[in-house]
Amino acid sequence: MDTQIVTQHQDGLADLHRIFDVQHGVTRGGLAPTLQERKSRLEKLRQMLVANEAAFVAAISSDFGNRSADETRMLEIGLVLNGIRCARKGLARWMRPEKRHVDVAFQPAKAWVRHEPLGVVGIISPWNYPLFLSLGPLVDVIAAGNRAMIKPSELTPRFSDLLARTIADTFSEDEIRVVTGGVEVAQAFSELPFDHLVFTGSTGVGRKVMLAAAANLTPVTLELGGKSPAIVCDDVDVAKVAKSVAFGKFLNAGQTCIAPDYALVPSSKVEAFGKAVIAAVGKFYPTLAGNGDYTSIISDRHYSRLVGAVDEARAAGATVLSARDDGVAAARKVAPTVVIGAPENGVLMREEIFGPVLPVIGYDSLDEALAFINRRDRPLALYAFSHQRETLEKIVDGAISGGVTLNGTLLHAAQDGMAFGGVGPSGIGGYHGRDGFIRFSHARSVLKIGFINVFEKLGPPWGGLARTVSKILARRR
Ligand code: NAD
């Protein structure tokens, strides 16, 4: 490192601590933001997004090489705007203290739970949906009355700089700030004693983030990755389902945490399904290289990783079906690809694919398909296609995952009415809508004693009355 880089790096780290101290100070010195203050912050965020929509779309596309403008508008900006709408609508109700039951033994008394801000929340986000995964958590964090610091990914530098500027223009330093930088900044960020840390990214980095947070006893929400399967049952129309799986897989060129990672298909239909996926792709993306709808791979490293994984499977005897377009490599695009017979010990079936490559695995019974999933880490998402309710129930009961969409893909993650999150190695904790408000609040229990405190009347000194009351309480059913 030369002197200039060292100085910049130190400046970045000093900034990090300074901003944290400013935000931490206001959360320890004042009252929680009122309903109106929270709504006004959400409104400012909405206006900032709407005013800068075109700039965000352009920055993200330029970071990727090409990122579909419609996908950025729909799957990033649109989803954040939905989240804001939902929070503004529900917030007054969510913030209301909740009355709780008080056992007769403790009467007369009243009990309630207040959902209060935690304080300063850190948000570390990945590159694949850089706006949605920075501002999605932020909406719930603001709704819960917190201050926030965001560290976006170094792989989307144009977007990250734009976000830092627009947030700084919209919010004061003691409300929200974005800090940019590489892995060293991310590491230092995760070591700050936040009141809560939200991390979205890979399972490997998630482990490091949780370790760093543990030193401060900072609670974490970890939104991680994994291999999300799609089970295609025997009773469905293969061509129709292939289209649905292809939609979820090739959006953002497969660089979606909940994209179907691989498909489990009845053995007799594997080839027909693979061909139907490629046929569907031909309709979705008639060309690839110059097609603005088909997104590039984020970096050369990820491009080589994907091409290498397919080459490895091909060398091991797998059949590779691929949409053809000669110019894709120059646009850092990987053509939509189906791999039949990928070896279980190869990269494609060992690691999260995170690109437009779909292994199709044959199965002979539903139990075998479920056992295949259950031999692996619990996935972030699970997809199942069947017309039979009992079959879908058997699948949902038989393989645990973070979330599920039945007879479709992805869309459970777009719901504000229920939490989105993983389980085990695919994540800890969920958010979105009211569940996000609860996740980023402290549920504070309050008990108000009535005109007499019976327990204080019993002793000490403890005597016969206390013993009689103990016996009565112990015998209660
Ligand atoms: P990543 O784990 O490499 O990086 C995520 C963020 O962590 C980046 O901002 C990076 O700067 C930061 N980081 C890197 N090293 C760090 C460290 N040692 N300490 C603290 N922070 C560090 O992930 P990525 O490549 O950006 O994203 C892809 C992964 O994210 C995939 O595994 C995908 O499944 C997952 N993902 C999950 C969700 C979800 O909601 N569950 C959503 C999108 C992506």
Side-chain angles (χ1 to χ4, degrees):
M1 273 200 268
D2 64 27
T3 331
Q4 198 192 349
I5 294 176
V6 172
T7 318
Q8 271 176 3
H9 175 60
Q10 285 168 346
D11 284 352
L13 294 185
D15 241 17
L16 207 63
H17 288 274
R18 190 184 50 73
I19 298 167
F20 178 80
D21 288 343
V22 168
Q23 296 200 354
H24 188 260
V26 289
T27 63
R28 296 320 191 253
L31 293 171
T34 61
L35 171 65
Q36 280 321 317
E37 283 167 331
R38 299 179 198 200
K39 279 189 163 179
S40 132
R41 282 179 194 157
L42 290 169
E43 174 57 16
K44 283 203 283 184
L45 184 63
R46 189 190 71 77
Q47 286 177 7
M48 180 206 97
L49 265 176
V50 171
N52 293 283
E53 180 185 291
F56 279 121
V57 167
I60 294 174
S61 186
S62 142
D63 283 332
F64 271 79
N66 173 65
R67 152 64 95 75
S68 157
D70 288 306
E71 288 180 16
T72 301
R73 278 193 288 263
M74 217 165 35
L75 306 177
E76 301 224 54
I77 298 169
L79 288 183
V80 176
L81 292 176
N82 261 351
I84 292 175
R85 197 174 311 121
C86 166
R88 282 167 56 90
K89 221 167 121 194
L91 199 47
R93 195 166 16 96
W94 302 346
M95 285 174 70
R96 227 171 272 151
E98 286 171 16
K99 196 168 171 231
R100 295 297 169 93
H101 169 75
V102 180
D103 188 274
V104 66
F106 303 97
Q107 294 290 2
K110 284 196 173 112
W112 65 95
V113 171
R114 295 159 53 101
H115 286 102
E116 299 186 343
L118 293 169
V120 186
V121 178
I123 299 171
I124 303 181
S125 53
W127 53 264
N128 63 327
Y129 289 91
L131 187 143
F132 176 53
L133 296 170
S134 301
L135 301 186
L138 181 68
V139 170
D140 298 357
V141 164
I142 293 176
N146 300 289
R147 317 281 158 156
M149 290 174 67
I150 305 172
K151 158 65 184 79
S153 170
E154 60 283 0
L155 289 189
T156 49
R158 293 171 194 86
F159 161 76
S160 301
D161 283 346
L162 178 62
L163 185 69
R165 263 186 285 125
T166 48
I167 287 281
D169 290 344
T170 311
F171 294 99
S172 62
E173 189 172 69
D174 65 25
E175 288 176 316
I176 305 163
R177 273 297 173 270
V178 174
V179 289
T180 56
V183 171
E184 336 71 57
V185 174
Q187 251 166 346
F189 188 95
S190 65
E191 287 164 7
L192 291 171
F194 287 113
D195 295 296
H196 194 101
L197 184 53
V198 189
F199 169 81
T200 307
S202 58
T203 301
V205 176
R207 282 182 216 281
K208 294 184 192 170
V209 168
M210 193 166 172
L211 258 178
N216 299 311
L217 291 181
T218 295
V220 289
T221 296
L222 300 179
E223 302 290 342
L224 309 176
K227 294 183 79 60
S228 301
I231 305 185
V232 181
C233 296
D234 218 2
D235 63 320
V236 293
D237 174 349
V238 163
K240 210 169 141 200
V241 172
K243 207 170 149 192
S244 192
V245 171
F247 172 83
K249 180 73 183 185
F250 301 116
L251 220 64
N252 206 28
Q255 301 165 107
T256 305
C257 58
I258 47 166
D261 186 275
Y262 60 95
L264 287 158
V265 177
S267 295
S268 61
K269 297 182 176 171
V270 164
E271 210 183 311
F273 179 81
K275 285 184 177 158
V277 168
I278 296 298
V281 162
K283 292 199 175 118
F284 291 162
Y285 314 105
T287 61
L288 296 172
N291 185 346
D293 281 350
Y294 192 63
T295 295
S296 300
I297 302 301
I298 186 74
S299 69
D300 291 338
R301 185 175 73 79
H302 281 287
Y303 178 86
S304 314
R305 175 182 66 79
L306 290 164
V307 171
V310 174
D311 286 347
E312 181 199 49
R314 191 187 283 109
T319 304
V320 177
L321 311 175
S322 185
R324 295 301 298 265
D325 190 336
D326 292 339
V328 284
R332 207 171 57 225
K333 292 182 177 182
V334 169
T337 300
V338 167
V339 179
I340 297 172
E344 270 212 45
N345 58 359
V347 171
L348 281 182
M349 289 316 297
R350 260 194 353 251
E351 295 175 11
E352 178 182 10
I353 296 172
F354 221 57
V357 180
L358 181 75
V360 181
I361 319 275
Y363 70 83
D364 294 323
S365 71
L366 205 47
D367 288 333
E368 186 191 327
L370 292 172
F372 187 92
I373 296 168
N374 288 328
R375 279 203 297 279
R376 290 166 171 73
D377 284 342
R378 286 178 168 169
L380 183 57
L382 173 72
Y383 303 111
F385 294 84
S386 172
H387 299 303
Q388 287 163 340
R389 210 181 63 199
E390 310 77 59
T391 307
L392 292 176
E393 266 171 25
K394 178 172 174 163
I395 294 172
V396 175
D397 286 348
I400 290 182
S401 67
V404 184
T405 296
L406 299 174
N407 293 330
T409 58
L410 310 183
L411 294 183
H412 65 284
Q415 307 307 312
D416 285 316
M418 55 190 189
F420 170 75
V423 56
S426 59
I428 295 175
Y431 68 95
H432 285 194
R434 181 173 184 272
D435 294 288
F437 169 85
I438 300 283
R439 181 91 194 145
F440 304 129
S441 296
H442 168 53
R444 188 175 182 204
S445 301
V446 183
L447 183 76
K448 186 174 178 215
I449 308 289
F451 64 89
I452 182 174
N453 185 335
V454 174
F455 275 80
E456 286 177 7
K457 294 281 174 213
L458 295 180
W462 303 108
L465 184 60
R467 266 163 242 136
T468 309
V469 170
S470 292
K471 273 187 202 149
I472 293 171
L473 291 179
R475 276 199 218 111
R476 280 197 320 165
R477 286 170 186 262

